[in-house]
Amino acid sequence: MKIKELSMRTGVSLRSLRYYESKNLLVVRRLENSYREYDDSAVERVKNIQLYLSLGLTTDEIAEIIECPVGIGRGRPLCRAAYALYQAKLAAITRQITLLQQVQQELRTRIQDFVEAEGEIR
């Protein structure tokens, strides 16, 4: 399929697809007329890239683990790099959540201070 069809099937912009190609996340075959041609597996690959991006991974991190299978219990080997990266991302997100909860509590305290001092501000 051509890049435009891949874009339509995945909802990812042409620019992003070209960027993924430049980062070696997508394998593309060039036709004689220099057009890009992707096989059907590119759709799933782009969806995986999008999933990893939504998890907060960078394209460089994705490049390190994209070939790693997911699902340990299905007879597929565990990719140590992916496992370590997932653990690091989870720890970072947990720290962010803790910080946001602290900020939330501080805002609640300040709002309560206003209410107690002056009544609700409208």
Side-chain angles (χ1 to χ4, degrees):
M1 82 187 81
K2 305 272 189 313
I3 192 169
K4 187 173 181 178
E5 182 182 350
L6 181 59
S7 174
M8 290 173 50
R9 288 177 62 182
T10 60
V12 174
S13 71
L14 299 175
R15 182 177 181 188
S16 292
L17 293 173
R18 288 185 193 106
Y19 178 69
Y20 299 162
E21 181 186 344
S22 75
K23 298 297 275 184
N24 295 318
L25 297 175
L26 272 179
V27 177
V28 63
R29 187 171 70 95
R30 291 287 186 156
L31 301 175
E32 289 179 14
N33 59 6
S34 295
Y35 286 5
R36 291 170 173 86
E37 184 175 68
Y38 299 91
D39 62 24
D40 289 337
S41 67
V43 172
E44 190 64 30
R45 181 101 167 181
V46 170
K47 289 179 181 180
N48 283 333
I49 293 167
Q50 292 293 294
L51 172 66
Y52 287 135
L53 289 171
S54 74
L55 295 175
L57 276 64
T58 66
T59 52
D60 289 337
E61 290 170 328
I62 294 168
E64 293 177 22
I65 65 165
I66 194 139
E67 299 300 331
C68 296
V70 278
I72 301 165
R74 297 184 206 138
R76 294 186 262 177
L78 172 64
C79 180
R80 299 281 179 219
Y83 181 74
L85 185 58
Y86 296 157
Q87 284 187 313
K89 283 296 177 183
L90 181 58
I93 288 169
T94 301
R95 287 190 299 275
Q96 289 174 333
I97 290 170
T98 300
L99 178 62
L100 287 172
Q101 288 173 331
Q102 291 169 350
V103 170
Q104 180 185 47
Q105 185 55 47
E106 183 62 31
L107 287 171
R108 285 184 176 146
T109 299
R110 289 175 184 238
I111 290 169
Q112 187 60 38
D113 289 347
F114 273 106
V115 170
E116 289 173 4
E118 301 179 24
E120 189 172 346
I121 298 174
R122 296 184 194 262

